[in-house]
């Protein structure tokens, strides 16, 4: 994890300004102060490779100056500085606001002189080898909003005076050697009203969590993992209604999980694993609609799994392993459509294995489950079932089931059930056949020995139906042609309308098209998100290659924005919802999928709208799993006008490329047209005076007060995403979380805000 800083002050304008300054613009009256700055830069030795011509120091790597030529930002971008930290003459930079020295190999202790940088708002020292205590002089930095020493060797306790830094928004002290109790310090932290992110994980903090933690109502992220914290979770935790990530794993917490946890409405990621929690899982957990990752493993939790957990419809990962849970696995979990993996191993669960688990990653080992393991689980490893002595089945290591077992006779009686199993088996056959490229002898025969069967999740679409509905892909049913296929609309006998994406015949013979098609299938079967187009099924065979998608009545966002009548239908509220939907979908792909999925071709053509004008991301053909081990160097893909600038020369695809394209689409939604012209003209001074309302889609009435702050926010985010430097762009996770948080009312009306002002704000975020 590395600290990510979003400080996009002037990120686009600045390059232009630096040039102006570099051309020799220095105010005469201040020249001595500026000379001092320049001299101090030289003497620091941080820019040793640069010439001694100090008049152009504003153009040196990582330096940003204000329009009077005084240094306001230094971002060393990970350049090695070693023990040159102390050679920096802090008192020479009265205007320095931002200092980024992440991963610079810094050694020794933090120089106390840092306290003279009285205008500092951001100080990032993460991932270095800094030792010693936190200097008391830090408390001089009263403007500080973001401070990180993540991943260093800092020891001692947190000075109480840190509580005086009332402007702090994000504080990251994680992964150090800090000691002492949390109570006294957190008590002080109740002063930090603006604090949104607090990271204290992986230190040696002891003592218990102070009940006053409930006062930190603005907190969205709290990491306390991997310390020596004892005692119970205070019930006041329920007051943290903005908290989205709460990690308390690997401590020595005991007592029950408080029922008040159900009040933490924003909770998405909760990890209480590896503690000594006892008692039952409170049913109030069912109130947490956004909860997507829940880990309660390695505790002493007893009782049964509450059925209310099935109310957490966003749940993706559930781990309850290594506890004393009894009773059966709730059948209600079948409605958890986002669920990706479930670990219930090492408990005392009884009953049978529910079939809805088939498509999931799961572990049910070491319980007291009984009955037959159906063949539909064949693609799973036996390890997922091991240690349940009353399970039987066709698996290696299991005893075969006795014909008289009650489960067998039940199956015999239920013909529909057998049909369902056969369908699922067929599905699995095609899944493995088309997937791994393995050819199996003995194919299951369907209809005259043809292999044209469709694997789908509900077993209700037949190949014949598709052929009939489209009159064998008659051109009349074609609704569009894309990069590597045509899209058809088909109404099935059930009345259901689906979209079919079919490869052109010629293209189907081209191995690269074949590859992109398979890519898309692989992606989509692994992705389940409410803002990503659903894949109902597919047929992968030499003679028939198509995907069956959820049909999107209103077509692409591009088409709607291009049509004056339809564009009017997309009012400001709907447009905001579209931006949020895409942000959530991308955040899911970038941060919840493992491995990470990069879309690589976000554009208004690939955002589809249903009849309610809700947005869905589609077209993963060029997406590729970002394997951390592979180089990610590839040919440029994507749509012209949405491609991140760095791709032109680095050819390295990262999530930040998607973030850039997202920024472009968001701006396009706000402006009603592609922002190409605007972005090029933004580098001229005159366009910086442009008012925000002037760039908004003029076909719509101006936004009213209730939506103004959302529009302001969305525009700010869009510009941040369009930063030239990939590192300065926010992550989609941050964008997605910000979309959910309530916005402060604007101090000025929208029509009084210029693009310049809009971009002059700062946002802080860390380690996402
Ligand atoms: C820059 O100045 C230092 C002394 O401050 C001197 O040692 C060095 O040779 C100079 N470098 C260049 C390139 O002029
Ligand atoms: C320049 O001098 C003026 C007053 O003499 C002062 O207000 C301003 O902060 C100075 N600017 C810099 C960059 O030192
Ligand atoms: C830092 O710069 C100031 C002038 O601004 C000077 O007086 C002081 O000696 C310098 N300190 C060091 C350690 O070089
Ligand atoms: C810290 O120091 C060790 C040993 O000198 C070195 O291997 C490591 O890379 C350093 N870590 C950082 C983050 O600079
Ligand atoms: C703290 O700030 C004051 C003035 O703002 C300054 O005089 C003092 O030297 C600073 N302390 C440290 C330790 O930097
Ligand atoms: C907490 O840690 C400090 C320093 O490591 C130690 O002195 C103190 O006794 C510990 N307190 C408790 C309650 O364990
Ligand atoms: C939350 O932050 C806002 C400003 O960002 C502040 O006005 C408010 O008092 C804070 N709330 C609490 C409970 O600290
Ligand atoms: C929860 O914490 C445990 C123990 O620290 C860790 O192994 C696990 O990966 C965490 N789970 C998630 C989902 O982050
Ligand atoms: C549980 O936490 C302890 C430290 O408290 C750690 O040593 C151990 O590895 C953790 N176990 C798991 C499974 O995360
Ligand atoms: C479950 O969800 C339903 C509707 O979303 C709600 O009425 C009910 O109160 C929830 N139950 C719990 C225990 O949260
Ligand atoms: C589960 O365990 C609890 C004790 O922890 C016990 O009271 C309850 O009867 C058990 N339920 C089942 C279904 O075995
Ligand atoms: C979800 O669970 C799987 C399997 O337990 C694990 O590999 C993965 O890291 C988890 N994902 C997240 C986002 O925690």
């Amino acid at each position: 994890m590395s600290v990510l800083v979003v400080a996009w002050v002037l990120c686009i304008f600045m390059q232009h300004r630096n040039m102006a300054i570099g051309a020799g613009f220095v105010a005469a009256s201040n020249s001595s102060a500026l000379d001092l700055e320049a001299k101090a830069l030289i003497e620091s030795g941080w820019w040793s490779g640069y010439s001694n011509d100090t008049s152009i120091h504003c153009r040196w790597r990582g330096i940003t100056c204000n329009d009077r030529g005084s240094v306001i930002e230094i971002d060393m971008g990970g350049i090695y500085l070693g023990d040159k930290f102390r050679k920096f003459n802090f008192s020479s930079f009265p205007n320095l606001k931002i200092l980024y020295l992440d991963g610079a190999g810094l050694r020794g202790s933090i120089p106390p002189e840092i306290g003279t940088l009285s205008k500092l708002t951001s100080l990032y020292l993460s991932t270095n080898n800094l030792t010693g205590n936190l200097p008391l002089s830090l408390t001089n930095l009263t403007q500080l909003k973001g401070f990180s020493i993540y991943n260093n060797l800092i020891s001692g306790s947190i000075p109480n005076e840190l509580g005086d830094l009332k402007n702090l928004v994000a504080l990251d002290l994680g992964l150090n050697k800090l000691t002492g109790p949390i109570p006294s310090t957190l008590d002080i932290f109740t002063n930090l009203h603006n604090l949104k992110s607090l990271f204290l994980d992986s230190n040696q903090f002891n003592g218990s969590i102070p009940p006053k933690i409930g006062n930190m109502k603005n907190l969205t992220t709290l990491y306390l993992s991997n310390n020596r914290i004892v005692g119970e979770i205070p019930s006041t935790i329920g007051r943290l209604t903005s908290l989205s990530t709460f990690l308390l794993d690997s401590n020595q917490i005991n007592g029950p999980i408080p029922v008040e946890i159900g009040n933490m409405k924003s909770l998405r990621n909760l990890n209480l694993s590896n503690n000594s929690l006892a008692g039952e899982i409170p049913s109030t957990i069912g109130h947490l609609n956004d909860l997507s990752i829940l880990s309660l493993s390695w505790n002493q939790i007893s009782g049964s799994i509450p059925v209310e957990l099935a109310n957490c419809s966003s749940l993706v990962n559930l781990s309850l392993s290594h506890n004393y849970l009894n009773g059966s696995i709730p059948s209600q979990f079948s409605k958890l459509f986002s669920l990706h993996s479930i670990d219930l191993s090492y408990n005392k669960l009884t009953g049978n294995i529910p079939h809805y688990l088939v498509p999931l990653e799961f572990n049910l080992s070491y319980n007291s489950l009984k009955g037959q393991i159906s063949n539909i689980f064949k693609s799973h490893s036996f390890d997922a079932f091991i240690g349940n002595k009353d399970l039987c089945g066709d698996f290696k290591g299991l005893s075969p089931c006795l014909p008289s077992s009650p489960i067998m006779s039940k199956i015999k009686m239920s013909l529909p059930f057998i049909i369902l199993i056969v369908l699922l088996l067929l599905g699995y056959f095609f899944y493995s056949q088309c997937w791994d490229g393995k050819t199996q002898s003995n194919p299951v025969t369907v209809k005259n020995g043809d292999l044209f069967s469709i694997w789908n999740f509900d077993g209700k679409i037949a190949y014949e139906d598709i052929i009939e509905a489209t009159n064998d892909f008659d051109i009349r049913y074609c609704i569009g042609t894309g990069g590597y296929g045509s899209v058809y609309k088909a109404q099935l006998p059930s009345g259901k309308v689906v979209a079919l994406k079919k490869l052109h015949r010629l293209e189907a013979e081209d191995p690269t098209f074949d590859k992109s098609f398979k890519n898309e299938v692989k992606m989509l079967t692994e992705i389940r998100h409410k803002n990503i187009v659903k894949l109902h099924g597919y047929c992968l065979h030499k003679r028939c290659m198509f995907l069956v998608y959820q049909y999107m009545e209103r077509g692409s966002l591009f088409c709607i924005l291009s049509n004056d009548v339809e564009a009017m239908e997309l009012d400001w509220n709907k447009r905001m919802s579209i931006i949020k939907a895409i942000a959530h979908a991308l955040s899911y792909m970038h941060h919840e999928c493992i491995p990470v999925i990069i879309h690589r071709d976000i554009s208004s053509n690939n955002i589809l709208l249903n009849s309610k004008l809700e947005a869905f991301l589609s077209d993963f053909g060029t997406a590729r799993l970002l394997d951390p081990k592979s180089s990610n160097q590839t040919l440029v893909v994507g749509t012209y006008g949405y491609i991140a600038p760095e791709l032109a020369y680095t050819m390295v695809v990262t999530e930040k490329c998607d973030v850039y394209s997202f920024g472009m689409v968001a701006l396009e939604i706000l402006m009603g047209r592609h922002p190409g012209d605007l972005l090029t003209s933004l580098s001229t001074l005159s366009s910086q005076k442009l008012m925000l309302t002037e760039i908004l889609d003029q076909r719509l009435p101006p936004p009213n007060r209730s939506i103004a702050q959302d529009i302001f926010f969305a525009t700010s985010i869009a510009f941040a995403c369009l930063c030239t430097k990939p590192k300065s762009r926010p992550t989609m996770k941050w964008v997605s979380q910000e979309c959910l948080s309530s916005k402060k009312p604007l101090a000025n009306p929208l029509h009084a805000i210029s693009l310049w002002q809009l971009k002059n704000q700062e946002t802080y975020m860390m380690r996402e």
Side-chain angles (χ1 to χ4, degrees):
M1 280 189 289
S2 71
V3 171
L4 181 100
V5 184
V6 184
W8 37 280
V9 196
L10 317 177
C11 81
I12 292 174
F13 295 166
M14 217 49 227
Q15 292 162 338
H16 173 79
R17 300 205 135 228
N18 282 351
M19 277 189 270
I21 293 157
F25 174 75
V26 171
S29 63
N30 288 56
S31 57
S32 65
L34 294 181
D35 284 350
L36 267 182
E37 288 192 5
K39 190 163 157 280
L41 290 176
I42 288 287
E43 284 172 357
S44 69
W46 294 8
W47 289 269
S48 52
Y50 284 68
S51 91
N52 287 356
D53 181 2
T54 55
S55 69
I56 57 165
H57 67 268
C58 287
R59 274 163 70 182
W60 292 357
R61 181 197 58 226
I63 294 181
T64 304
C65 294
N66 63 17
D67 52 11
R68 280 169 309 208
S70 181
V71 178
I72 55 168
E73 175 181 337
I74 295 176
D75 177 356
M76 294 308 285
I79 299 284
Y80 181 82
L81 298 175
D83 53 11
K84 288 187 207 155
F85 197 10
R86 60 187 62 258
K87 289 179 74 183
F88 192 75
N89 192 334
F90 296 94
S91 62
S92 300
F93 299 92
N95 295 311
L96 192 63
K97 290 175 76 174
I98 295 174
L99 185 57
Y100 297 154
L101 299 174
D102 322 353
L106 302 181
R107 294 193 292 264
S109 52
I110 301 174
E113 295 79 19
I114 207 157
T116 56
L117 297 173
S118 61
K119 290 207 180 135
L120 210 59
T121 59
S122 302
L123 178 56
Y124 291 90
L125 303 174
S126 59
T127 313
N128 284 298
N129 269 331
L130 292 167
T131 50
N133 293 355
L134 284 172
L136 269 180
S137 66
L138 280 173
T139 58
N140 245 15
L141 306 179
T142 52
Q143 304 301 308
L144 216 50
K145 291 182 176 173
F147 176 43
S148 171
I149 53 162
Y150 169 69
N151 193 7
N152 277 287
L153 305 163
I154 304 285
S155 52
S157 55
I158 305 177
N160 281 350
E161 291 81 357
L162 223 52
D164 296 341
L165 303 181
K166 294 202 172 56
N167 289 310
L168 272 182
V169 176
L171 176 60
D172 192 343
L173 307 180
L175 196 45
N176 276 289
K177 296 183 175 307
L178 292 163
T179 51
I182 283 187
S184 63
T185 45
L186 270 184
D187 208 44
I188 292 295
F189 285 179
T190 54
N191 285 341
L192 304 181
H193 293 307
N194 296 309
L195 203 61
K196 284 182 155 186
S197 306
L198 176 58
F199 304 86
L200 301 176
D201 54 306
S202 300
N203 279 289
Q204 291 151 30
F205 292 120
N206 58 16
S208 54
I209 305 175
K212 276 194 180 169
I213 196 158
N215 295 344
M216 301 174 83
K217 290 214 179 72
N218 283 333
L219 264 196
T220 61
T221 309
L222 178 59
Y223 284 30
L224 298 176
S225 315
N226 212 2
N227 279 293
R228 295 170 186 169
I229 305 171
V230 296
E232 302 195 356
I233 302 174
S235 60
T236 51
I237 200 85
R239 294 199 219 136
L240 300 182
T241 50
S242 303
L243 197 60
S244 160
T245 301
F246 181 29
L247 308 185
L248 184 54
D249 51 285
S250 294
N251 279 290
Q252 292 149 33
I253 305 289
N254 55 23
I257 301 171
V259 292
E260 289 82 1
I261 206 136
N263 299 334
M264 301 171 78
K265 287 279 162 22
S266 306
L267 217 48
R268 287 158 166 257
N269 183 355
L270 176 63
N271 196 343
L272 303 178
S273 166
N274 199 14
N275 280 291
S276 301
L277 292 164
E280 303 198 353
I281 302 173
S283 61
T284 52
I285 206 148
H287 297 315
L288 303 178
N289 278 323
D290 290 336
L291 194 63
S292 66
I293 301 176
L294 174 62
S295 179
L296 304 177
S297 58
W298 295 93
N299 278 292
Q300 288 140 36
I301 299 169
S302 56
S304 54
I305 303 174
V307 296
E308 288 83 358
L309 202 50
N311 246 20
C312 303
S313 54
S314 308
L315 213 53
V316 175
N317 253 18
L318 175 64
S319 178
L320 303 176
S321 73
H322 296 90
N323 279 294
Y324 305 131
L325 294 166
N326 62 9
S328 56
I329 305 171
S331 59
Q332 289 87 342
F333 278 13
S334 61
K335 46 177 197 173
L336 291 175
F337 295 116
S338 316
L339 202 57
H340 173 77
S341 81
I342 179 166
D343 186 354
L344 303 175
S345 61
Y346 293 93
N347 276 292
K348 296 174 172 174
L349 297 170
T350 51
N352 298 318
I353 297 178
H355 288 107
Y356 61 73
L357 294 177
V358 171
L360 306 179
E361 235 171 71
F362 63 81
N363 188 351
L364 304 175
S365 61
Y366 299 99
N367 276 289
S368 303
L369 298 164
K370 64 175 171 54
Q372 183 185 28
I373 304 180
S374 153
N375 277 340
I376 57 176
F377 287 109
K378 230 174 179 163
S379 65
H380 291 270
S381 156
F382 171 63
D383 291 348
F385 304 99
I386 201 169
N388 288 279
K389 66 177 168 36
D390 293 331
L391 279 182
C392 65
D394 224 358
F395 269 72
K396 190 170 61 122
L398 276 187
S399 47
C401 298
L402 298 174
S404 62
S405 87
I407 181 94
M408 277 308 285
S409 47
K410 229 188 202 161
I411 288 175
K412 269 189 201 134
M413 289 185 323
S414 145
L415 190 60
F417 187 55
I418 293 177
I419 293 173
L420 178 70
I421 290 185
V422 168
L423 279 172
L424 282 166
L425 259 174
L426 286 177
Y428 261 84
F429 168 71
F430 282 101
Y431 187 84
S432 54
Q433 165 121 54
C434 304
W435 232 221
D436 325 329
K438 279 187 222 133
T439 33
Q440 292 175 3
S441 51
N442 190 24
V444 181
T445 46
V446 197
K447 216 160 187 207
N448 306 326
D450 257 339
L451 282 175
F452 297 141
S453 186
I454 298 172
W455 154 237
N456 72 82
F457 304 119
D458 51 16
K460 286 192 202 100
I461 305 174
Y463 175 73
E464 290 76 9
D465 293 342
I466 298 281
I467 296 302
E468 204 168 307
T470 57
N471 199 4
D472 199 7
F473 294 102
D474 190 291
I475 190 82
R476 273 183 298 142
Y477 298 93
C478 182
I479 52 173
T481 303
Y484 43 88
S486 297
V487 185
Y488 295 79
K489 178 182 174 183
Q491 182 162 27
L492 302 176
S494 63
K496 189 186 183 98
V497 179
V498 294
L500 303 170
K501 182 188 257 182
K502 184 176 182 289
L503 274 191
H504 299 314
R505 207 168 285 276
L506 269 177
E507 288 164 352
E509 284 153 19
D510 176 341
T512 59
F513 282 110
D514 186 42
K515 202 173 140 214
S516 68
F517 190 78
K518 286 198 169 134
N519 260 351
E520 182 157 0
V521 177
K522 187 161 162 45
M523 261 343 122
L524 282 164
T525 49
E526 284 162 7
I527 289 180
R528 268 173 278 180
H529 189 275
K530 66 173 187 292
N531 301 116
I532 294 178
V533 174
K534 268 195 198 58
L535 178 69
H536 289 304
Y538 59 79
C539 182
L540 274 191
H541 186 271
K542 273 200 286 301
R543 285 169 55 200
C544 104
M545 293 186 95
F546 60 81
L547 301 173
V548 187
Y549 287 112
Q550 184 182 9
Y551 179 67
M552 291 292 155
E553 291 84 350
R554 300 299 301 267
S556 76
L557 176 65
F558 175 80
C559 290
I560 295 208
L561 287 178
S562 313
N563 177 312
D564 287 349
V565 178
E566 292 188 74
M568 294 281 286
E569 240 184 291
L570 274 191
D571 61 25
W572 291 118
N573 277 314
K574 293 207 180 72
R575 290 187 194 208
M576 285 307 118
S577 308
I578 293 175
I579 293 176
K580 288 176 190 174
I582 303 307
H584 295 324
L586 279 174
S587 168
Y588 168 81
M589 289 170 60
H590 290 179
H591 301 283
E592 280 167 44
C593 293
I594 293 183
V596 164
I597 294 171
I598 299 180
H599 187 291
R600 293 160 157 238
D601 192 13
I602 310 282
S603 77
S604 54
N605 275 309
N606 290 334
I607 292 164
L608 305 181
L609 305 179
N610 68 6
S611 58
K612 293 185 210 145
L613 291 168
E614 291 162 340
F616 296 77
L617 206 51
S618 80
D619 231 336
F620 292 76
T622 53
R624 206 182 59 144
L625 295 177
L626 178 66
D627 179 353
K629 275 169 266 147
S630 82
S631 74
N632 299 318
Q633 298 238 343
T634 92
L635 292 174
V636 173
V637 294
T639 304
Y640 180 75
Y642 297 88
I643 300 174
E646 70 272 16
L647 266 182
Y649 51 89
T650 62
M651 310 283 265
V652 177
V653 177
T654 67
E655 294 99 309
K656 291 299 176 73
C657 303
D658 276 356
V659 175
Y660 184 90
S661 311
F662 167 80
M664 203 59 103
V665 169
L667 214 48
E668 181 175 354
I669 293 171
L670 293 159
M671 295 173 63
R673 62 193 155 84
H674 189 274
D677 308 344
L678 176 75
L679 288 181
T680 37
S681 65
L682 268 187
S683 51
T684 68
L685 283 165
S686 59
S687 65
Q688 294 171 22
K689 297 203 189 90
L690 216 58
M691 295 317 239
L692 170 55
T693 43
E694 289 178 80
I695 67 161
L696 296 179
D697 193 343
Q698 302 298 318
R699 293 172 294 188
L700 291 186
N704 61 23
R705 283 176 69 106
S706 66
I707 192 99
Q709 60 217 49
D710 279 359
I711 299 231
F712 174 80
F713 160 77
T715 324
S716 316
I717 294 269
F719 278 122
C721 294
L722 290 169
C723 274
T724 320
K725 270 201 226 165
K727 214 179 135 191
S728 309
R729 293 173 208 148
T731 62
M732 286 316 301
K733 184 164 189 169
W734 181 84
V735 173
S736 153
Q737 282 175 354
E738 284 298 297
C739 283
L740 294 170
S741 66
S742 50
K743 312 287 170 323
K744 270 193 300 205
L746 296 178
N748 294 320
L750 213 51
H751 61 79
I753 297 173
S754 68
L755 291 190
W756 170 261
Q757 285 166 317
L758 181 85
K759 301 171 79 182
N760 244 320
Q761 317 164 76
E762 297 169 37
T763 317
Y764 298 85
M765 196 212 58
M766 304 159 101
R767 264 214 267 160
E768 294 295 355

